[in-house]
Amino acid sequence: MSTAIRSAIYAKLNATSGVTNVVSTRIYFAQAPADAAYPLVIFNKQAGTKTRAFQTPNAFNREVWLIKCVDRNTLPGPAETVAAAIDAAFDNGTITVSGKKLADLTHVGDVDYLEPVGDQQYRHHGKTFAVITTAS
């Protein structure tokens, strides 16, 4: 299921002008290339559970996905702007998950931290979202 959800999240990020206006096409699954320009968006699955109901082994699937903007900047502005656009697009939003029906898409947590690396500062701003799907 994660592959279908990953594709749906990627498509939604690419269709969200508040994201692409700042990061263009720099949207990466799990890890950005070493030579990537900043700011950029990284997203990845954090956790997943399956629920059996009504004698259906995969009646409900709940996956938690992290979606964040990373910027190499002393100021939080650009990364916070993208994080707000991500939240607006995904919290109680919709995505099209191939082979499944989306039951809920909800903001469940915040990500905000500074990562000092040598003389550089990387700002991470984003959200975690629960993606709940049911059998089609």
Side-chain angles (χ1 to χ4, degrees):
M1 182 45 42
S2 294
T3 302
I5 292 174
R6 180 176 71 217
S7 295
I9 290 172
Y10 185 79
K12 179 80 165 193
L13 287 167
N14 272 303
T16 303
S17 63
V19 173
T20 58
N21 287 345
V22 178
V23 303
S24 185
T25 59
R26 296 183 304 274
I27 300 170
Y28 304 102
F29 172 68
Q31 183 176 356
D35 62 348
Y38 290 88
L40 53 84
V41 169
I42 297 175
F43 69 102
N44 62 286
K45 182 179 169 183
Q46 299 287 295
T49 57
K50 296 178 183 180
T51 301
R52 180 183 173 87
F54 310 110
Q55 299 181 349
T56 303
N58 276 339
F60 300 95
N61 290 304
R62 181 181 191 269
E63 295 184 0
V64 177
W65 285 78
L66 166 66
I67 308 172
K68 67 179 179 176
C69 182
V70 181
D71 195 10
R72 187 171 54 204
N73 198 329
T74 57
L75 301 173
E80 287 178 339
T81 298
V82 173
I86 290 167
D87 195 41
F90 283 84
D91 189 28
N92 296 314
T94 61
I95 56 175
T96 303
V97 181
S98 177
K100 292 286 182 174
K101 179 180 177 187
L102 180 69
D104 197 18
L105 177 58
T106 307
H107 169 169
V108 294
D110 297 322
V111 175
D112 292 297
Y113 63 94
L114 178 66
E115 176 188 13
V117 178
D119 64 346
Q120 301 291 317
Q121 292 183 11
Y122 294 86
R123 296 192 171 271
H124 300 253
H125 296 281
K127 314 293 177 189
T128 55
F129 296 92
V131 181
I132 301 171
T133 57
T134 62
S136 294

